[in-house]
Amino acid sequence: MPITVTSRDSALTAALTGEIDHHGAREMMTQLDLIIAERLPKRLVLDLSGVTFMDSSGIAVLLRALRQMGRTGGTLRVANIPAQARRVLDAAGVGRLITLD
């Protein structure tokens, strides 16, 4: 699951694609950890427009990114959330912790 990264000012957008499930979540977490550590963005936007499926493993990916951004003093926002992923995030109450657009 490649992550496409674009940068604008102090904001970084990481576009996630494919299925975010227990098979690929660990790799996605590792990739995001590296992106955050190398680029130290002030704002990170996770673009989920290319996500075709998400289960609770996707929640773990988002929460880890939130924790990593907190360690560097940055913020996290999740954008372009497909309907299926939105249902998973809403059911878990993730919107109380992370800005969901």
Side-chain angles (χ1 to χ4, degrees):
M1 286 174 240
I3 297 175
T4 304
V5 179
T6 56
S7 180
R8 177 187 248 177
D9 302 324
S10 62
L12 199 65
T13 298
L16 310 182
T17 58
E19 295 184 0
I20 305 176
D21 58 15
H22 70 281
H23 296 294
R26 175 83 46 212
E27 179 184 339
M28 194 168 283
M29 285 181 199
T30 301
Q31 288 181 42
L32 285 172
D33 285 351
L34 287 171
I35 290 166
I36 294 167
E38 289 175 358
R39 306 233 183 154
L40 298 172
K42 294 290 183 197
R43 293 174 296 161
L44 176 63
V45 177
L46 296 181
D47 180 347
L48 303 187
S49 60
V51 172
T52 56
F53 174 80
M54 177 189 286
D55 64 13
S56 60
S57 299
I59 295 170
V61 170
L62 300 184
L63 292 178
R64 182 170 178 134
L66 177 65
R67 185 174 63 223
Q68 295 299 93
M69 288 301 294
R71 287 180 180 161
T72 64
T75 62
L76 176 67
R77 182 171 62 88
V78 181
N80 303 315
I81 306 166
Q84 185 275 329
R86 172 67 77 167
R87 286 190 298 276
V88 170
L89 298 174
D90 287 347
V94 173
R96 292 179 294 203
L97 302 171
I98 301 172
T99 302
L100 305 176
D101 293 333

